[in-house]
Amino acid sequence: MFGSLRYQTKIFLMLSVFLFAVLTIINVIYYFRNESLIENDLAQNKQQTTIKLQEQVDDMLEEMDELSISVNASNSIMGVLKGIASNSEVNYFTAHPEINAEVRNTLLSFTSLQPLKGRISIVSRFGDYMGLSNKMDNVKSNKFQVRAKPTFREYLAMDDYKRFLPPHPDPWSESGDRVVSIVRPLRDNYNVYGYVEISYSVMELENLFFFRNDLSFGNVLILGPDRGVLFSSLSPVIAGNVEENDRLNMPLDEEFGHFRMQFSGTDEMVFYSKLTAADWTVLLIEDVSVYRRPIKYLRYSSVTIFLSVMVVLLLTLYLYTSRVTRPLRRLKDSLANVDLAKLELLPSKLRTSNEITLLGVAFQGLLDELKRTMRQEEMAKQREMVAQMNALQAQVNPHFLHNTLTVIAAYGKSSGNPKVVEMCIALSDMLRYTMKFERKDSTVGAEMEHVEQYLTLMRSKYEGFLEIEMNIDPDIGPVPIPRLSLQPLVENAFQHGFAGIDPPWKLAVSGMVSDVTWTVSIVDNGIGLSFELLEKVRQQIGRLRDDPGSETDCLAEEKGAAGGLPIREGNGIGLANVVARLYLFYGEAVEVRVDQAPAGGAVFTITGRR
């Protein structure tokens, strides 16, 4: 069966199998290598993020601990606590405002290098209380209420030097906001004189887990030594799946690490790191599907690239084999279908396998192709001559119109009608400027003169209805610009902007220049553009900026559609034509904008770099 196939088909199939095998091997190696690299990078990045979160929590706890140590090391504060008598039922700090102020100043000195982020609460062994907070919400408690708190005797009697408290309601705040605290007994070598509690708002902890790069909170869980939840910023979906048994079964033996675990049917990646300041563990939990999304993208992209490359290479291979075997097919067809009466070779020699004879037939085909090419070249020269004649004729017509306008102007002058003379001169100058064939570019100064001539005609047509303001910096005159770039924008105001509104019609044309840029602005008080049309025009201008050679009608709707911007009207040069030529002429050194004027109407702005 394989032997009955065409020669081209045989070559194509063999090369296709070889190409498929090579590309498959390369793609498989590329995929598994990059999958391993991406997975390692993802794990390392998430692990580093978890360690960074743990370090930030440690820093916050150590900052609180240093503040409590400063209080315990203060001789003035310890002296005050030692001097408090046990027989008074009035809060010592309330009864002695001068001592209260002294202690507060001492506490403020501890926070002089950075603002107080929460509350400092000092409780004496007899229940005397004072607090310093960054909020005006201190609870007003007497000594009986303080001594009645269940934690009062616990904190005075605890053996450890400090104790970190997970997020809990602030007992010294009227609002009861949740805080993270550290409690330290205030003692010397022999006695305990009270304790200090440093509390930071839970928001300080939450801010550590806010990922500013994607403006979201991380799925963070803080577990205590008994695997109880101390803090959670998990999403509701993940939080509902993490049960107590799941937390107890987590392998958290190392200082840090990561593992994959199933939580109530959901597959999650867990990254953890243990705190050094407290026996807490910070966990960062992420859905495996989200975690492995880059790997899924790699898989899809690998398959897409493989198929795309395979299709392109197979198509190229097919075209290549077709091209390589085409001479053989043509030679075969020539030998099978040649008209022997037109050859100067004997029929007997055509039946031979001699390569010289075959080359002779092929050479005859080359002669035929050369003859056809010569005929095509002759026809092309004829078409070129016709085009040159049409161009010469096109140059004759403007001269005829110019001479005719000169005659009309002379008649108007002799008839005492200066307005006719002015209009003829303006129209004649416009025709002369428009029909210059030697150059396609011009200057802003020449364009502005062309605009003024056009406005001369418009003043005559709309006399008393039109208010025109021209503000042109003389230094902008030499700036190069494509010919007929500004007059179509001015004409657009008359064709579309002033249609449907009552006069007076106002038009402002300005041209400014600086050391690095030049700007031309055309503002009218017409009907303007709707929000939808303005957005559409801006998108189409963006497409022309990226591809100025595309069709110029991409800035307009179909001619005659409501709210559209017809491409060709008046002089036949549309707005899209102008925009496309500006981007072709300047490239990225020019910007074209269309905006809504504050008082109504449209604003066309052209800004270029000098």
Side-chain angles (χ1 to χ4, degrees):
M1 179 178 179
F2 185 80
S4 62
L5 297 176
R6 292 192 309 168
Y7 183 66
Q8 176 195 353
T9 306
K10 292 180 181 179
I11 296 178
F12 175 75
L13 290 177
M14 288 187 294
L15 293 179
S16 297
V17 172
F18 174 78
L19 187 62
F20 179 83
V22 171
L23 285 180
T24 301
I25 294 172
I26 293 174
N27 195 64
V28 169
I29 294 174
Y30 166 83
Y31 172 77
F32 283 106
R33 180 178 180 276
N34 283 277
E35 181 188 32
S36 176
L37 293 175
I38 291 175
E39 190 161 8
N40 289 336
D41 288 343
L42 290 174
Q44 291 179 5
N45 290 338
K46 292 295 181 181
Q47 189 65 64
Q48 290 299 321
T49 301
T50 308
I51 293 175
K52 185 65 177 177
L53 294 176
Q54 167 256 310
E55 291 174 349
Q56 290 176 340
V57 176
D58 268 332
D59 291 342
M60 189 183 80
L61 297 181
E62 289 175 3
E63 181 180 308
M64 298 166 61
D65 188 25
E66 290 175 359
L67 192 55
S68 70
I69 292 174
S70 299
V71 174
N72 190 50
S74 172
N75 292 328
S76 61
I77 295 178
M78 293 299 291
V80 170
L81 293 176
K82 290 177 182 180
I84 297 176
S86 63
N87 55 1
S88 174
E89 298 302 329
V90 180
N91 190 330
Y92 180 82
F93 296 102
T94 304
H96 299 82
E98 68 285 354
I99 296 179
N100 182 61
E102 180 183 347
V103 174
R104 291 178 65 86
N105 290 334
T106 303
L107 295 178
L108 288 173
S109 67
F110 299 153
T111 61
S112 59
L113 297 180
Q114 59 183 358
L116 180 62
K117 298 180 181 177
R119 181 188 307 278
I120 303 176
S121 302
I122 296 178
V123 182
S124 74
R125 56 184 168 174
F126 305 117
D128 303 279
Y129 166 77
M130 74 148 301
L132 178 65
S133 173
N134 60 355
K135 296 182 179 180
M136 303 298 293
D137 62 346
N138 285 330
V139 67
K140 294 180 175 56
S141 300
N142 55 41
K143 297 178 66 170
F144 298 103
Q145 293 172 330
V146 173
R147 288 197 294 262
K149 292 181 180 294
T151 57
F152 174 73
R153 297 190 181 279
E154 177 186 351
Y155 293 159
L156 290 175
M158 69 184 193
D159 295 329
D160 42 353
Y161 290 100
K162 61 184 176 182
R163 181 179 299 174
F164 289 104
L165 306 180
H168 62 282
D170 188 357
W172 308 111
S173 168
E174 292 182 350
S175 60
D177 294 337
R178 291 175 61 79
V179 294
V180 179
S181 303
I182 178 175
V183 176
R184 177 180 290 273
L186 299 176
R187 66 178 73 175
D188 56 15
N189 293 333
Y190 306 102
N191 299 305
V192 176
Y193 300 100
Y195 65 88
V196 60
E197 181 175 351
I198 311 297
S199 302
Y200 278 10
S201 173
V202 170
M203 292 185 63
E204 296 292 333
L205 189 62
E206 291 176 347
N207 290 337
L208 301 180
F209 307 139
F210 181 73
F211 298 159
R212 292 175 175 81
N213 55 345
D214 57 4
L215 300 178
S216 64
F217 283 95
N219 287 314
V220 178
L221 193 65
I222 298 181
L223 301 181
D226 58 350
R227 303 291 177 89
V229 177
L230 305 182
F231 173 84
S232 174
S233 66
L234 300 180
S235 65
V237 176
I238 298 179
N241 293 331
V242 180
E243 299 178 354
E244 183 178 359
N245 290 335
D246 297 325
R247 299 196 303 270
L248 295 175
N249 294 328
M250 289 181 179
L252 305 178
D253 302 327
E254 305 295 333
E255 290 298 320
F256 61 86
H258 64 275
F259 53 88
R260 187 169 176 174
M261 194 170 184
Q262 294 245 342
F263 298 133
S264 300
T266 62
D267 205 4
E268 308 287 345
M269 287 295 299
V270 180
F271 300 85
Y272 71 91
S273 182
K274 294 185 177 181
L275 272 67
T276 58
D279 191 10
W280 298 355
T281 305
V282 176
L283 292 85
L284 180 63
I285 302 176
E286 187 166 352
D287 188 272
V288 169
S289 61
V290 178
Y291 169 75
R292 294 182 60 86
R293 188 174 295 163
I295 298 177
K296 183 169 68 174
Y297 289 158
L298 173 66
R299 184 184 305 118
Y300 291 157
S301 62
S302 298
V303 173
T304 302
I305 293 174
F306 172 79
L307 294 178
S308 301
V309 172
M310 193 65 194
V311 170
V312 172
L313 290 180
L314 287 178
L315 180 60
T316 304
L317 182 62
Y318 179 82
L319 296 176
Y320 174 76
T321 55
S322 176
R323 183 177 182 137
V324 169
T325 58
R326 188 181 304 160
L328 295 177
R329 293 197 306 272
R330 287 180 176 176
L331 183 58
K332 174 187 174 183
D333 295 337
S334 298
L335 292 176
N337 303 314
V338 69
D339 186 359
L340 299 179
K342 296 182 179 179
L343 296 176
E344 297 180 357
L345 298 173
L346 296 176
S348 59
K349 293 184 178 180
L350 290 176
R351 298 188 182 93
T352 183
S353 60
N354 192 309
E355 292 83 1
I356 302 297
T357 303
L358 300 178
L359 288 176
V361 176
F363 184 73
Q364 180 65 47
L366 290 176
L367 292 178
D368 294 339
E369 181 66 20
L370 179 60
K371 190 182 300 182
R372 185 179 65 83
T373 303
M374 292 175 62
R375 287 197 300 268
Q376 290 180 346
E377 183 178 357
E378 182 178 357
M379 294 175 62
K381 288 183 177 179
Q382 291 177 358
R383 287 194 295 268
E384 182 180 358
M385 183 178 297
V386 172
Q388 291 177 351
M389 292 294 295
N390 291 335
L392 293 174
Q393 182 63 36
Q395 295 181 17
V396 172
N397 292 335
H399 289 292
F400 169 74
L401 292 174
H402 173 69
N403 293 334
T404 303
L405 289 172
T406 303
V407 173
I408 296 174
Y411 176 76
K413 183 176 181 180
S414 63
S415 301
N417 194 336
K419 186 63 79 172
V420 173
V421 177
E422 182 183 10
M423 293 176 63
C424 289
I425 292 175
L427 183 56
S428 177
D429 291 341
M430 288 182 66
L431 286 173
R432 185 184 297 109
Y433 180 78
T434 304
M435 297 301 180
K436 286 184 178 179
F437 291 93
E438 66 274 11
R439 294 190 62 179
K440 298 300 182 185
D441 60 334
S442 183
T443 63
V444 173
E447 283 289 294
M448 286 298 180
E449 291 179 3
H450 185 61
V451 169
E452 289 180 353
Q453 291 160 355
Y454 174 76
L455 292 177
T456 298
L457 297 177
M458 294 298 103
R459 284 191 187 96
S460 301
K461 181 178 180 181
Y462 302 110
E463 185 173 3
F465 293 164
L466 192 59
E467 296 179 11
I468 298 175
E469 178 183 350
M470 300 285 289
N471 184 15
I472 309 301
D473 188 343
D475 293 338
I476 201 175
V479 173
I481 196 172
R483 187 179 299 277
L484 295 178
S485 295
L486 302 183
Q487 183 269 335
L489 300 181
V490 175
E491 183 180 357
N492 180 73
F494 292 93
Q495 294 291 337
H496 304 287
F498 297 148
I501 68 168
D502 296 329
W505 301 325
K506 297 180 181 181
L507 183 69
V509 181
S510 62
M512 301 298 172
V513 66
S514 65
D515 293 336
V516 294
T517 62
W518 58 270
T519 302
V520 174
S521 178
I522 300 170
V523 184
D524 65 69
N525 67 336
I527 60 175
L529 291 82
S530 65
F531 176 79
E532 293 78 8
L533 182 57
L534 182 62
E535 289 300 317
K536 181 178 180 181
V537 169
R538 286 174 176 171
Q539 293 174 5
Q540 292 169 335
I541 288 177
R543 285 196 291 268
L544 277 181
R545 180 180 60 248
D546 298 334
D547 184 14
S550 63
E551 295 183 7
T552 58
D553 59 355
C554 67
L555 281 178
E557 299 176 358
E558 293 184 3
K559 186 172 183 179
L565 292 176
I567 286 296
R568 296 191 174 276
E569 213 172 278
N571 64 0
I573 299 178
L575 298 179
N577 185 301
V578 172
V579 174
R581 287 189 294 115
L582 283 170
Y583 283 123
L584 285 171
F585 188 81
Y586 273 106
E588 296 181 355
V590 72
E591 179 184 5
V592 181
R593 285 186 56 83
V594 179
D595 298 291
Q596 193 77 3
V603 179
F604 289 88
T605 306
I606 304 172
T607 303
R609 294 197 296 268
R610 300 186 68 182

